[in-house]
Amino acid sequence: MTARSSITHLDQLIFDNRFVHELPGDPESSNTRRQVEGACYSRVSPTPVAAPKLVAYSREVADLLDLEAEVCESADFTQVFSGNRLSAGMEPYAMCYGGHQFGNWAGQLGDGRAINLGEVINRQGQRWVLQLKGAGLTPYSRTADGLAVLRSSVREFLCSEAMHHLGVPTTRALSLITTGEQVLRDMFYNGNSKLEPGAVVCRVAPSFTRFGNFQILAARGDTDLLKKLVDYTIRTDFPYLGEPSPTVYLNWFEEVCRKTAQMIVHWQRVGFVHGVMNTDNMSILGLTIDYGPYGWLENYDPGWTPNTTDAGGRRYRFGNQPQIAFWNLGQLANAIYPLVGSPEPLQQAMNSYVSAFEQGWQAMMAGKLGLDEFDAKTDDQLIDELQTLLRDVETDMTIFYRRLALVEMNTELADEVLMAPLMAAFYVLEQLTDQYKTRLGNWLRQYIKRAQCNETTDENRRQSMNATNPKYVLRNYLAQLAIDQAEQGDYSLVNELLEVLRYPYDEQPDNEKYAEKRPDWARQRAGCSMLSCSS
C-alpha cells in the first residue's frame, strides 16, 4: 500500500467495509426490535444527540487511524463520534449474534446499543473497525433504549486504554463524548431509577466478531450462512491460516483457543475480573471486549466478582475465569461442529487451550516472581503457599507483587526486616498475627533461595518483576472518583488517569497517590466494590 500523509479531515479516512459488502444483511430496513434471520447484520444509523462535548480521546488510537491531534480536537470530530454526522465512506450497521448468558442459552442478542460505523484501512494497511457504544436503538435493543450513561462510558474508555498499556489484549477506545442528554437508569435493578448524563464511546478493534455470531447461526440451523461467516472470518482476520477448508476450520478454532488462553493468562496476571464472561462477550481474536461490571482485585480473593447480578453463583469470579473461558470455547466448538462433522478433532483443539493456558500461566507466575523459568518441582508448592498467604489476610495483590521486588535477598534477616517492603500491601494490620508473620517469613526465605538459583543478577530480577507487575492499575475507586467529577462537568481526573495509566510499569513520583491501596470509604461503596450490568 502506498504511503500517505496523516488525516487532516475525517472525510479523508479510507473505508473498505468488507463485512457489509461480503456478508448478507437484514433485508428489513426499519429500525424496529425483531428477530433477524438469514443475516449477519442490520443497517442502522446512530441517533443524533443534542449537545455533544468531547471529554477525552486517546492519542495512541488516533495514531492508529492516522488522525492528527487537530482533527481529534475539532468540532467535526465531536459531531462524527457522537453519532451526529457520518463521514465519507461510513456504512453503519449493528451485528446479529446470540449467546449463553450465565450458562443459559439466551437466543438472539446482537448489538443492542453498539453501531459499527465502518472499517478503516490505515496507511500501514491495517483494518480497524470503528464502533459507537451508546449510539441509540437497533433491531437488537430488545427492551432497552440503546443509549449509555457517562458512568459506564468513563469506565469503558479508561479501562480499554489501561488494559492496552498493561499489555493485555483488548479492544481500544478512541473517544469519550457526552451527549448533553439525560438517560434513565436503575443502577442496581432495585426500583431506584434516576436520570444520568448520557455519553458515547468510540471503540476500535480489528474485529468485533464474537463467539455468539456463530452460535446464533448454528442454533437456527443456518449452516450455509455459518460457513460464509467462518470463511469470511478466516480470510479477513486469520489470512495466514490459508484458504478455508475443514482442516483450516480446525486450525482456526485451535488458534482461537490459543489466543483466548493468552488473554486469560494476562487477566490473571494483573488481577482483572471481567464480571460477565457470557459467550457474546468473547472475542474470536482473544481480545478483552465489553467493559461492563469489571473490576480489579484489590485484596486477593479468587472468589471475588464485581458483578451484583452474579453475586449468588459467582460464576464469573476471578478464580473461575480460566474454566469459564474453556466452557465458552466448548460452545463455540458446538457452533462450528456442522462444518467439521466430528467431535474428536474439536476436542483435541480444545486441549490446546488447556496446554496453552497452563504453559502461559506458569511462565507468567515465574515472571511475577522474577524467576528465569518455571520449575514445577519447586514452584508449584511455592506458588500455592503464596496464594494461601495472600488469601488468609487482606492483601493488596498489585502492591504485594510490585513490592516483592524490593525484598532483600538475604535469608539471615529477621522476619520483620524481610517483610518491611510488603507492609504497604496489607489492609488490616491486626490480621498479621505472630503465626502469620512466621509463616510469611518462612515463605520469603524459600522464595529467596529459589530466586538465588537465577542465572541473572538481582538487579535484573527486579527489573523483570517490575516489567511484569504493574504499579498502576485502574483501581475501582479511582474510576469512581473520575466518574463523580465527570458527572459534575469536571473531566480533569479522567484525563489525568488516562495519562498515568499510559505508563503502568513506571515509577511516577508525582503520581504515587494513584498506586495506593483502596481507602476504607471505598470498601462497600457502590461503583467501588460492586457493579451491575446497568450502563
Side-chain angles (χ1 to χ4, degrees):
M1 188 174 185
T2 58
R4 63 176 190 265
S5 59
S6 295
I7 301 297
T8 57
H9 191 280
L10 291 173
D11 286 339
Q12 296 173 332
L13 288 168
I14 304 298
F15 291 87
D16 81 343
N17 301 327
R18 285 185 62 177
F19 192 88
V20 296
H21 293 169
E22 298 186 16
L23 292 168
D26 181 3
E28 176 89 35
S29 60
S30 65
N31 189 4
T32 57
R33 297 160 179 151
R34 61 186 185 277
Q35 293 292 303
V36 175
E37 300 191 5
C40 292
Y41 63 89
S42 301
R43 292 185 183 269
V44 60
S45 294
T47 300
V49 301
K53 181 177 181 180
L54 180 66
V55 173
Y57 73 91
S58 165
R59 61 176 181 259
E60 291 86 358
V61 181
D63 286 344
L64 291 177
L65 302 174
D66 307 323
L67 296 177
E68 296 282 0
E70 292 78 7
V71 176
C72 298
E73 293 161 10
S74 69
D76 188 54
F77 181 92
T78 301
Q79 291 296 316
V80 169
F81 291 110
S82 64
N84 277 1
R85 182 180 90 82
L86 296 179
S87 67
M90 289 182 174
E91 298 183 60
Y93 64 95
M95 299 173 79
C96 180
Y97 49 82
H100 281 82
Q101 297 193 324
F102 298 96
N104 300 306
W105 176 245
Q108 177 181 294
L109 297 166
D111 286 333
R113 66 163 135 246
I115 296 176
N116 296 308
L117 296 175
E119 299 159 62
V120 170
I121 307 299
N122 69 8
R123 57 185 169 185
Q124 282 76 44
Q126 299 168 327
R127 176 183 308 276
W128 295 103
V129 183
L130 307 182
Q131 181 184 89
L132 299 186
K133 184 173 182 180
L137 288 172
T138 78
Y140 311 101
S141 296
R142 302 186 295 284
T143 59
D145 57 17
L147 305 176
V149 295
L150 182 59
R151 160 176 50 86
S152 61
S153 301
V154 166
R155 288 172 52 80
E156 172 120 20
F157 175 78
L158 285 177
C159 198
S160 299
E161 291 306 285
M163 291 283 271
H164 167 74
H165 292 295
L166 285 165
V168 182
T170 180
T171 58
R172 304 294 299 277
L174 171 64
S175 58
L176 169 62
I177 296 173
T178 55
T179 64
E181 299 175 351
Q182 296 291 300
V183 178
L184 188 65
R185 283 292 181 271
D186 184 350
M187 183 175 178
F188 288 108
Y189 306 116
N190 58 7
N192 294 311
S193 298
K194 69 172 185 177
L195 290 171
E196 301 184 45
V200 178
V201 171
C202 179
R203 309 198 289 192
V204 178
S207 169
F208 284 95
T209 306
R210 305 134 184 277
F211 292 8
N213 290 78
F214 308 96
Q215 285 185 280
I216 190 65
L217 301 176
R220 289 171 169 169
D222 195 342
T223 304
D224 289 343
L225 185 49
L226 174 66
K227 183 178 184 301
K228 286 182 182 178
L229 180 59
V230 173
D231 289 356
Y232 167 86
T233 300
I234 291 171
R235 289 180 177 130
T236 304
D237 300 311
F238 300 82
Y240 52 88
L241 296 178
E243 272 297 294
S245 68
T247 298
V248 172
Y249 294 151
L250 287 168
N251 293 340
W252 168 68
F253 179 61
E254 185 170 341
E255 185 80 343
V256 175
C257 290
R258 184 183 63 80
K259 287 178 177 290
T260 302
Q262 291 173 343
M263 176 187 72
I264 300 297
V265 166
H266 279 292
W267 288 5
Q268 305 304 101
R269 173 176 65 86
V270 300
F272 176 79
V273 189
H274 187 279
V276 59
M277 287 180 67
N278 296 329
T279 57
D280 58 298
N281 292 337
M282 297 292 293
S283 160
I284 49 93
L285 294 180
L287 303 176
T288 313
I289 192 171
D290 285 345
Y291 290 95
Y294 70 82
W296 249 275
L297 279 192
E298 288 170 329
N299 57 293
Y300 179 79
D301 178 5
W304 183 72
T305 175
N307 190 351
T308 56
T309 309
D310 196 26
R314 297 185 181 273
R315 176 180 177 84
Y316 298 140
R317 62 192 181 274
F318 175 72
N320 208 34
Q321 292 182 137
Q323 290 75 22
I324 289 297
F326 181 79
W327 190 92
N328 288 344
L329 286 163
Q331 309 318 306
L332 178 58
N334 290 338
I336 66 171
Y337 171 80
L339 306 184
V340 177
S342 175
E344 287 78 11
L346 288 167
Q347 183 59 58
Q348 290 174 7
M350 286 191 66
N351 291 340
S352 68
Y353 169 85
V354 177
S355 58
F357 177 79
E358 182 177 3
Q359 293 169 13
W361 186 86
Q362 290 176 347
M364 176 269 290
M365 288 303 301
K368 288 184 77 65
L369 295 176
L371 307 178
D372 287 346
E373 60 182 2
F374 185 89
D375 184 348
K377 296 191 297 292
T378 57
D379 299 345
D380 278 333
Q381 185 275 333
L382 188 72
I383 292 169
D384 286 347
E385 174 67 0
L386 172 58
Q387 291 180 330
T388 299
L389 286 164
L390 295 179
R391 189 171 59 245
D392 281 355
V393 304
E394 271 193 84
T395 310
D396 191 285
M397 174 180 164
T398 300
I399 295 175
F400 183 93
Y401 278 108
R402 182 74 179 193
R403 295 188 66 84
L404 184 62
L406 300 177
V407 169
E408 292 290 333
M409 295 285 101
N410 183 350
T411 58
E412 301 301 318
L413 295 175
D415 289 348
E416 290 76 9
V417 177
L418 289 175
M419 290 173 53
L422 305 173
M423 294 303 292
F426 299 114
Y427 280 95
V428 184
L429 294 181
E430 290 76 15
Q431 294 177 346
L432 302 180
T433 62
D434 290 342
Q435 182 182 13
Y436 182 87
K437 290 178 181 177
T438 298
R439 189 174 176 184
L440 178 57
N442 290 337
W443 181 86
L444 287 169
R445 290 181 179 85
Q446 292 176 35
Y447 165 65
I448 292 167
K449 290 177 182 177
R450 174 66 184 89
Q452 288 172 339
C453 295
N454 282 350
E455 295 183 1
T456 57
T457 65
D458 189 45
E459 180 59 29
N460 286 340
R461 174 189 69 87
R462 291 181 175 180
Q463 290 179 0
S464 175
M465 292 175 74
N466 285 344
T468 303
N469 300 314
K471 180 164 184 173
Y472 299 94
V473 297
L474 183 59
R475 292 177 174 274
N476 311 318
Y477 81 91
L478 291 176
Q480 188 57 46
L481 287 175
I483 291 166
D484 291 344
Q485 291 188 19
E487 289 181 338
Q488 301 302 313
D490 179 356
Y491 308 131
S492 58
L493 187 53
V494 172
N495 283 281
E496 189 169 345
L497 287 174
L498 179 63
E499 185 64 26
V500 170
L501 295 168
R502 283 187 168 111
Y503 309 100
Y505 300 99
D506 293 357
E507 293 294 331
Q508 302 181 43
D510 294 337
N511 292 313
E512 287 288 334
K513 61 183 178 182
Y514 296 128
E516 295 174 353
K517 58 179 178 279
R518 177 198 64 227
D520 283 343
W521 61 259
R523 183 180 292 271
Q524 299 297 332
R525 185 184 164 185
C528 299
S529 62
M530 49 189 170
L531 298 146
S532 75
C533 295
S534 168
S535 60

